[in-house]
Amino acid sequence: MEWTGLNELRESYLKFFESKGCLRHKSYPLVPQNDKSLLLIVAGMAPLKPYFTGQEVPPRVRMTTCQKCIRTGDIENVGKTARHGTYFEMLGNFSFGDYFKKEAIAWAWEYVTRVLKLPEDKLYVSVYEEDDEAEEIWNKEVGVPLDRIVRMGKEDNFWEAGTDGPCGPCSEIYFDRGEKYGCGKPTCKVGCDCDRYMEFWNLVFTQFERHEDGTYTPLAQKNIDTGMGLERLAALMQDVGSIFDVDTVKAIRDHVCRIAGCEYGAEYKKDVSIRVITDHIRAVTFLASDGVLPSNEGRGYVMRRLLRRAVRHGKLLGINGLFLKDLVKTVVECNKGEYNELEEKFDYIVKVLTTEEQNFNSTVDRGMKILEEYIEKMQAEGKTVLDGESCFKLSDTYGFPLDLTREILEEKGLTADEEGYAVCYRKQRETAQAARKTQGYMGADETVFHKIDKNVTTLFTGYDKTEDTGVISYIATDDELIENAGVDDVVYIVPDKTCFYAESGGQAGDTGVISTVTGKAEVLDTQKAVGGKFALKVKITEGALSVGQQVSFKVDKAKRLATMRNHSCAHLLQSALRTVLGEHVHQAGQLVDSQRLRFDFSHFEAMTNEEKAKVEELVNKYIFDALDITMEEMPIAEAQKLGAMALFGEKYGETVRVVTMGDKAEAASIEFCGGTHLDNTSKIGLFKIISENSVASGVRRVEAVTGTGVLELLNNNADTIVKAAETLKVNNPAELVNRCGAVMQEVKTLEKERDALEATIANMRSKALLDNTTEVKGVQVAAAALENIKPDVLRKIADDLKGSKSDLVAVITTVNGDKANLVVACGKEAVAKGAHAGKIAGKIAALTNGKGGGRPDSAMAGVGDKNLIADALAKAADVVGEFVK
């Protein structure tokens, strides 16, 4: 047993299973593909579900991966212990109906004893208590003594997902790390909760089908699913106490300590913060690399929570300023050997994390103000516990962490209702989980297409054809497979091959017509069904269609050509955006059809008019340069060497289609893409941006048109100009700008006259209010309801009143249409005697079911029910009396 680095362990494992005939596959992205049951990938087998469920045919029946994973179920414990973490890598080898128990066990033993050279006298294995076969293989074929084989119950050594579906027994491998890691109890043995006997590899033998009645039957196709945590294995091989002491993780941990100016292991509280930052910076770096952006929902919320938690603990360590960007460098340096995308997207990752770090610093300031208001209210009401709903609102709505809320409350002798907070959190989590529930096994959406043989696929012939023939393999409704369909039926046709493009990668599916000897149908849409099948949604217009018939396909050429113009231009647009805005720009989504080009991209501020003009100019230059567009299939490694851009989070096979615009050496664009394209950029015609706006935090959207769409846009704009000229009574549209300027000047003059008139009226009304005041404890209270006064005029009246009489408290309401407002102003002497405009406004507004607040001398509130204004004003003097000394 020799000390081995984490990166070397990953490579040795993958190479070993390659030697056993397993296809070595790069880690899939952290974002699940076509799996609504998961927000993020949580295990090595998760991206391979379609192969286990039979939805898709695997690229090989034997596979091995080192999969990036994130689990957040124990996020509150991360940092508090050296065991818990969110990001980790899972080594796995898998069999889809090929090798089984005998090989999986033998190879596992071979790897740990011959490659890792772990001493056999330190190894133990567990098997399911009823799995005699596994025990026999371990004992009689591998040679593990019976006293080192432990039988365990269903809870520990049997894997199943839900009440039905494939399942099976497990066998785990343990390593005795010695007494220094033990609990010291005489009963300490395999299965003890202490760290002495470390379980580091789990072999799952999927051999049964569980039924809803609780019975089990053997599976026709038996599978192998194994999982071994890479960091845990490294801790074992390096003989260290936790994953935070493993070489690559320790490098990040030490960097945190250098920034914070502290020593790990010297103080528990600081160690907690160091571990939180170390774990979370790994997680958010990989999340950003896979295209996840911080947001308030879904996986974006997971990322935001991890990132803000890291920043929060940085503040607890006394780190000033932005620091995540420095730690990213160490994460990338330690992992770039296996995950080269980290280095390629470094600038983008730093931009994402830094922007969120800056936003959070602002959020903390806003949250502090809100929490201070809560504390003031609690103290005024004599309460010592902040309710759970308010704690959760601070966290969920304002991003203010519970631990920060707790700490600030404790400083003032107050506490947080953490049980109430937990109730709110569970409720939100249950709602989110319910939204992700699916009917299928392992999170697979069950559709009618799952009833089709998984080996059936559709060959796409439409890269160079818009007409072709094929055979109708299946006809389906939404619920069942049928043999034939007649006039006016809307059904799905699954052919053996077709030239109709199925919606994918943001390109809309083709429409057109199909026909057989017995009928015709209009193709309404084309979609990809499970397992490489194309489903043409058709409405039968003549006769009938039947399974097994030869079918002729005819794509709507005009729509396909318009879609290709927009799609090819989307590639040029991304290239231009990266040139003008920076290399951090990556596609975050797109939709191209015959009408428009909609392109979402990562960027953190609105584009200026100058930037939009530069992008337009560059895209049109590419068009006018008449660049040849070539499409070719090649191994993914070769495509990456060319510098081809891939989509964030996209799942690619070993062979990819690459679209190149221009010569490879100086191409305007090189991208992975399975869509249809023109053969020359000149055929795009023209490009024009219609709009640019924000669609999410850190994501912008450009909508644009090409070709005939530009002509249509120009014609519409010309019509608008003519109509505007007619409205403003301008004979020559060229004079429109001057006329608009003159009209605006007239409007400004009228507005000034109106403002002067309103000011005069406000002055008259404010003086009238002084004639009708009530004295309360030496303070004058004026309360009145004014009709149709604008909010800014209402403030002016209040300011005039408090300026003219220092002992005055003015309470004024106004109704404008459906809205009603309340303003409170307090003179200096009134404030000195205890009057507080913000508190008074809040209390009086509450009498109308409204709310609001503000400064001691001036405040505004919204009125809830206009019908309650009179009663509320009648109580104004009493409310003021509650605050005046």
Side-chain angles (χ1 to χ4, degrees), residues 724-725 728 730 733 735-747:
L728 292 171
V730 175
E735 299 173 3
L736 190 59
V737 174
N738 290 335
R739 178 61 182 143
C740 286
V743 170
M744 289 304 299
Q745 188 58 48
E746 291 172 18
V747 170

Side-chain angles (χ1 to χ4, degrees), residues 495-554:
D496 64 335
K497 64 173 182 172
T498 184
C499 55
F500 276 74
Y501 182 81
E503 181 177 336
S504 179
Q507 178 178 333
D510 280 331
T511 61
V513 294
I514 64 172
S515 60
T516 69
V517 293
T518 60
K520 293 182 179 179
E522 178 187 0
V523 179
L524 307 174
D525 191 16
T526 308
Q527 293 285 331
K528 279 188 176 177
V530 64
K533 302 166 184 64
F534 282 31
L536 282 64
K537 185 177 183 180
V538 305
K539 182 177 182 180
I540 300 174
T541 55
E542 293 180 28
L545 304 181
S546 300
V547 171
Q549 285 187 316
Q550 187 173 45
V551 58
S552 296
F553 302 104
K554 192 171 183 179

Side-chain angles (χ1 to χ4, degrees), residues 282-355:
R282 294 176 79 214
V284 297
T285 297
F286 278 96
L287 283 168
S289 163
D290 281 344
V292 179
L293 288 167
S295 70
N296 285 332
E297 58 185 15
R299 59 185 65 93
Y301 179 70
V302 172
M303 183 177 185
R304 171 162 285 171
R305 190 175 178 208
L306 292 170
L307 195 150
R308 291 185 168 188
R309 203 163 181 259
V311 175
R312 164 63 186 147
H313 280 273
K315 291 181 182 296
L316 291 177
L317 288 175
I319 300 175
N320 296 314
L322 304 174
F323 68 95
L324 295 184
K325 62 182 185 296
D326 297 322
L327 296 176
V328 172
K329 294 177 185 176
T330 304
V331 177
V332 172
E333 192 61 34
C334 292
N335 294 278
K336 65 183 182 182
E338 178 68 15
Y339 304 107
N340 58 306
E341 65 270 20
L342 292 175
E343 199 165 33
E344 293 167 5
K345 298 171 184 173
F346 177 77
D347 291 340
Y348 168 78
I349 295 168
V350 167
K351 185 71 173 174
V352 170
L353 302 192
T354 301
T355 299

Side-chain angles (χ1 to χ4, degrees), residues 162 469 557 631 633 704 730 858 867:
T469 60
K557 285 182 68 173
M631 290 157 279
E633 290 189 351
V730 175
S858 180
N867 297 319

Side-chain angles (χ1 to χ4, degrees), residues 376-549:
E376 274 189 27
K377 185 178 179 183
M378 288 169 63
Q379 291 173 333
E381 296 174 357
K383 295 180 179 178
T384 59
V385 181
L386 180 62
D387 64 280
E389 191 173 334
S390 296
C391 293
F392 184 73
K393 186 176 181 181
L394 276 167
S395 171
D396 188 54
T397 305
Y398 301 105
F400 204 70
L402 177 63
D403 54 357
L404 183 53
T405 299
R406 183 195 304 121
E407 182 179 315
I408 293 167
L409 288 171
E410 286 174 355
E411 289 171 0
K412 297 183 181 294
L414 307 171
T415 58
D417 176 12
E418 298 194 33
E419 287 186 14
Y421 171 91
V423 169
C424 295
Y425 176 73
R426 280 197 301 272
K427 185 177 179 181
Q428 186 205 55
R429 194 172 181 183
E430 287 164 4
T431 302
Q433 288 174 340
R436 297 200 304 272
K437 281 185 179 177
T438 55
Q439 296 177 353
Y441 157 63
M442 297 175 85
D445 280 326
E446 289 290 346
T447 68
V448 66
F449 304 107
H450 286 80
K451 299 176 182 179
I452 300 174
D453 184 343
K454 68 180 180 182
N455 294 302
V456 171
T457 58
T458 303
L459 174 67
F460 177 59
T461 63
Y463 284 122
D464 51 12
K465 293 180 180 181
T466 53
E467 294 186 27
D468 203 356
T469 60
V471 174
I472 298 176
S473 301
Y474 294 88
I475 301 176
T477 65
D478 286 329
D479 305 310
E480 60 181 339
L481 300 176
I482 57 177
E483 290 298 315
N484 48 62
V487 172
D488 290 336
D489 285 346
V490 176
V491 294
Y492 300 96
I493 301 294
V494 179
D496 64 335
K497 64 173 182 172
T498 184
C499 55
F500 276 74
Y501 182 81
E503 181 177 336
S504 179
Q507 178 178 333
D510 280 331
T511 61
V513 294
I514 64 172
S515 60
T516 69
V517 293
T518 60
K520 293 182 179 179
E522 178 187 0
V523 179
L524 307 174
D525 191 16
T526 308
Q527 293 285 331
K528 279 188 176 177
V530 64
K533 302 166 184 64
F534 282 31
L536 282 64
K537 185 177 183 180
V538 305
K539 182 177 182 180
I540 300 174
T541 55
E542 293 180 28
L545 304 181
S546 300
V547 171
Q549 285 187 316

